[in-house]
């Protein structure tokens, strides 16, 4: 139950709507003052009264009930105190009956949200640079679904461009079928790297590559077959990682899918007088908006990345009639998105306002960055494998007799990679550290998972409380209850701001509060009534932690 909403609905403050009041209700720094506070300073102007007076009036008019046990007016604030026993009972009751649905809602009903994420490039390494888009996008996908939206996960494959000509040329010169079949993406990348090395010495190679690319475009059987084979190998390799990370897509329509969908867009641009010629190329002039021109067709008539994105947006609107279309792509592409969003707006697409670039920062390893061309690249698969390996080492050391160690290490290691990428505000650049993400006492998924194992063990010993009563709640219990009841609001906030990190931080906070409670309050040794309440609290915590982690794509082992 949303107490804030309950209070907002009952407050009478001039002609403010409950939604406006809801947004104004704050959390007082000190719970002794109250659980929610309404600052009245901003109301002074419209209500033409001093804030202190307004607060007193609102306080006097508020109808008290079982939920709100105390309302006071202090220095221009109205403070509301919620009956703690009531709060506890409501919260635990809600969680224990909703269980894996706790936190879900139907706010998104009837709304389709396209989410373009991961969007890997064919025959290019799936490296650590793709980690954020993949796990952020996937978390946003799950979160939208949980809140009642219909998400459409789109992997906008990078499957078009001259690099495929290079690859065919390299393969025909130096490639062996068996090696590629065995080596997958890494073998393809090795060919690509070799091409660049050799092309530096021999210019003619680039012409050959262009010719091969042209052959793909002209649907030459051999070239197309090779390209399709590269694509298949890539999807097989990245599919393994998607499985590990619990990532799914509804559409794999990549750049080449729009080959035949660009002409109508180009025609429309030209009809609307937006297309101008510049040095042989066709562009949309964006100078008035402080941006360089958006190039639509190169002087040789070839389309560009932006051309495909414009066609893709039009296609998505037509196909899915989206409420929002999100692009989870690194901030390096800020300009690209600003440009093509603007072009769509200039074309008169009123829905251009519903396109959102969900930009995120860079991930690097502690030992430096990477470059695809030079072959110095950190494969995501290697990072995951190393984390799982390290997790196995730690688990074996902590609990040598644990069964299913490998399975558990996988859940812990993979979780650490995901959580490591999601814990900070997405726009921040992060340095990935194995020791940090696998610190069992840190702000990590393994800390949260470990807390779940602790809760599981308490429940295994104490059993599930069949019924419970909430009486004379202790501060540690109340802090935990409050945090538990904040889960739905956290999810809503995470969705509104496209910040899965709110969920990750929430989980760590909740785990910390549970552990404080666990160490300060006897559970199994408490007298019957208290014991039942604390078992219920333990179970509600476990449910909520699991729900939070599962939205991020992270599992929870029973034991650790
Ligand atoms: N494949 C692109 C890259 O790796 C990302 C594509 C993002 N999606 C989009 N619609 N532009 O940079």
């Amino acid at each position: 139950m949303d107490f804030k909403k309950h209070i907002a609905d009952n407050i009478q403050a001039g002609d403010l709507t409950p939604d406006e009041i809801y947004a104004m209700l704050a959390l007082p720094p000190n719970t002794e003052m109250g659980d929610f506070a309404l600052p009245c300073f901003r109301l002074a102007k419209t209500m033409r009264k001093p804030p202190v007076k307004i607060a007193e009036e609102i306080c006097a008019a508020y109808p008290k009930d079982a939920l709100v046990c105390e309302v006071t007016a202090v220095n221009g604030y109205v403070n509301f105190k919620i009956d703690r026993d009531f709060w506890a009972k409501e919260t635990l009751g809600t969680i224990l009956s909703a269980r894996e649905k706790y936190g879900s809602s139907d706010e998104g009903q009837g709304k389709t949200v396209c989410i373009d994420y991961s969007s890997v490039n064919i025959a290019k390494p799936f490296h650590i640079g793709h980690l954020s888009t993949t796990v952020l996008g996937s978390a946003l996908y799950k979160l939208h679904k949980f809140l009642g939206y219909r998400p459409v996960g789109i992997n906008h494959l990078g499957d078009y461009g001259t690099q495929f000509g290079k690859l065919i040329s390299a393969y025909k010169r130096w490639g062996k079928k068996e090696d590629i079949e065995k080596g997958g993406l890494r073998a393809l990348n090795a060919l690509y790297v070799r091409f660049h090395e050799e092309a530096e010495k021999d210019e003619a190679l680039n012409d050959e590559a262009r010719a091969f690319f042209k052959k793909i475009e002209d649907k030459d059987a051999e070239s197309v077959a090779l390209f399709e084979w590269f694509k298949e190998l890539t999807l097989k390799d990245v599919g393994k990682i998607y499985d590990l990370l619990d990532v799914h897509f509804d559409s794999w329509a990549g750049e080449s899918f729009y080959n035949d969908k660009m002409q109508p867009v180009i025609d429309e641009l030209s009809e609307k007088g937006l297309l101008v010629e510049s040095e042989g190329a066709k562009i949309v002039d964006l100078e008035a908006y402080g941006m360089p021109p958006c190039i639509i067709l190169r002087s040789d008539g070839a389309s560009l990345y932006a051309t495909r994105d414009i066609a893709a947006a039009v296609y998505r609107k037509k196909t899915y009639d989206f409420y929002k279309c999100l692009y989870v792509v690194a901030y390096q592409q800020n300009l690209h998105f600003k440009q093509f969003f603007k072009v769509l707006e200039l074309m008169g697409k009123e829905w251009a306002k519903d396109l959102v670039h969900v930009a995120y920062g860079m991930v690097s390893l502690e030992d430096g960055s990477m470059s695809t061309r030079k072959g110095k690249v950190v494969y995501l698969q290697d990072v995951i494998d190393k984390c799982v390996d390290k997790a196995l080492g730690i688990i074996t050391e902590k609990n040598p007799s644990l069964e299913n160690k490998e399975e558990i290490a996988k859940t812990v290691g993979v979780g650490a990679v995901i959580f490591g990428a999601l814990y900070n505000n997405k726009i921040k650049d992060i340095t990935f550290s194995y020791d940090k993400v696998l610190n069992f006492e840190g702000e990590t998924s393994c800390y949260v998972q470990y807390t779940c194992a602790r809760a599981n063990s308490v429940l295994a010993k104490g059993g599930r409380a069949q019924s419970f009563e909430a009486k004379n709640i202790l501060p540690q219990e109340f802090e935990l209850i409050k945090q538990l009841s904040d889960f739905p609001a956290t999810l809503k906030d995470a969705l509104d701001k496209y910040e899965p990190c709110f969920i990750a931080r929430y989980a760590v906070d909740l785990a910390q509060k549970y552990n404080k409670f666990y160490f300060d309050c006897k559970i199994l040794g408490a007298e019957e009534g208290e014991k039942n309440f604390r078992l219920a609290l333990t179970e509600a915590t476990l449910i909520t932690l699991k729900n939070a982690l599962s939205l991020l794509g992270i599992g929870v082992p029973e034991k650790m």
Side-chain angles (χ1 to χ4, degrees), residues 104-164:
S104 68
S105 79
D106 55 10
E107 70 160 63
Q109 208 150 70
K111 291 178 181 150
T112 298
V113 175
C114 292
I115 311 178
D116 176 326
Y117 64 107
S118 200
S119 299
V120 289
N121 300 318
I122 299 304
K124 288 266 185 74
F126 195 22
H127 58 73
I128 180 127
H130 299 121
L131 174 60
S132 298
T133 171
T134 306
V135 298
L136 270 170
S138 170
L140 289 173
Y141 184 94
K142 291 174 202 281
L143 180 58
H144 275 85
K145 199 163 183 175
F146 204 55
L147 298 193
Y149 295 82
R150 180 173 81 106
V152 180
I154 303 173
N155 200 323
H156 186 78
L157 297 173
D159 58 1
Y160 185 86
T162 44
Q163 71 268 29
F164 299 109

Side-chain angles (χ1 to χ4, degrees), residues 10-174:
N10 281 299
I11 289 178
Q12 303 213 359
D15 46 14
L16 287 185
T17 65
D19 275 349
E20 288 167 325
I21 297 174
Y22 185 91
M24 284 171 67
L25 277 171
L27 297 184
N30 166 0
T31 39
E32 283 316 300
M33 293 163 68
D35 300 307
F36 296 100
L38 183 76
C40 299
F41 307 96
R42 267 178 34 206
L43 300 175
K45 227 189 188 152
T46 46
M47 294 177 70
R48 298 165 180 277
K49 273 177 223 169
V52 174
K53 185 111 209 310
I54 298 173
E56 280 163 5
E57 285 177 12
I58 291 176
C59 175
Y62 190 87
K64 282 182 215 54
D65 52 27
L67 182 78
V68 179
C69 62
E70 201 183 293
V71 187
T72 49
V74 182
N75 299 332
Y77 286 90
V78 191
N79 293 328
F80 299 86
K81 211 165 198 173
I82 291 179
D83 182 89
R84 304 202 159 180
D85 295 352
F86 187 91
W87 189 331
K89 214 169 138 237
E90 272 291 320
T91 305
L92 295 190
T94 304
I95 299 173
L96 295 178
S97 68
R99 309 198 75 83
E100 68 282 353
K101 295 213 172 66
Y102 177 55
S104 68
S105 79
D106 55 10
E107 70 160 63
Q109 208 150 70
K111 291 178 181 150
T112 298
V113 175
C114 292
I115 311 178
D116 176 326
Y117 64 107
S118 200
S119 299
V120 289
N121 300 318
I122 299 304
K124 288 266 185 74
F126 195 22
H127 58 73
I128 180 127
H130 299 121
L131 174 60
S132 298
T133 171
T134 306
V135 298
L136 270 170
S138 170
L140 289 173
Y141 184 94
K142 291 174 202 281
L143 180 58
H144 275 85
K145 199 163 183 175
F146 204 55
L147 298 193
Y149 295 82
R150 180 173 81 106
V152 180
I154 303 173
N155 200 323
H156 186 78
L157 297 173
D159 58 1
Y160 185 86
T162 44
Q163 71 268 29
F164 299 109
K166 294 180 184 169
L167 206 57
I168 291 180
S169 152
Y171 176 70
K172 295 194 76 133
R173 283 170 176 268
W174 316 294

Side-chain angles (χ1 to χ4, degrees), residues 112-120 122 141 150-159 231 235 238 242 247-258 261 311-313 315-317 319-320 322 325-327:
T112 298
V113 175
C114 292
I115 311 178
D116 176 326
Y117 64 107
S118 200
S119 299
V120 289
I122 299 304
Y141 184 94
R150 180 173 81 106
V152 180
I154 303 173
N155 200 323
H156 186 78
L157 297 173
D159 58 1
K231 184 161 166 177
L235 294 186
V238 297
Y242 291 147
V247 168
H248 306 276
F249 298 95
D250 303 300
S251 160
W252 298 80
E255 292 187 39
S256 70
F257 179 76
Y258 300 99
K261 297 177 181 59
Y315 174 83
R316 288 173 192 176
K317 184 65 192 176
T319 310
Y320 305 110
F322 56 72
C325 177
L326 315 183
Y327 298 84

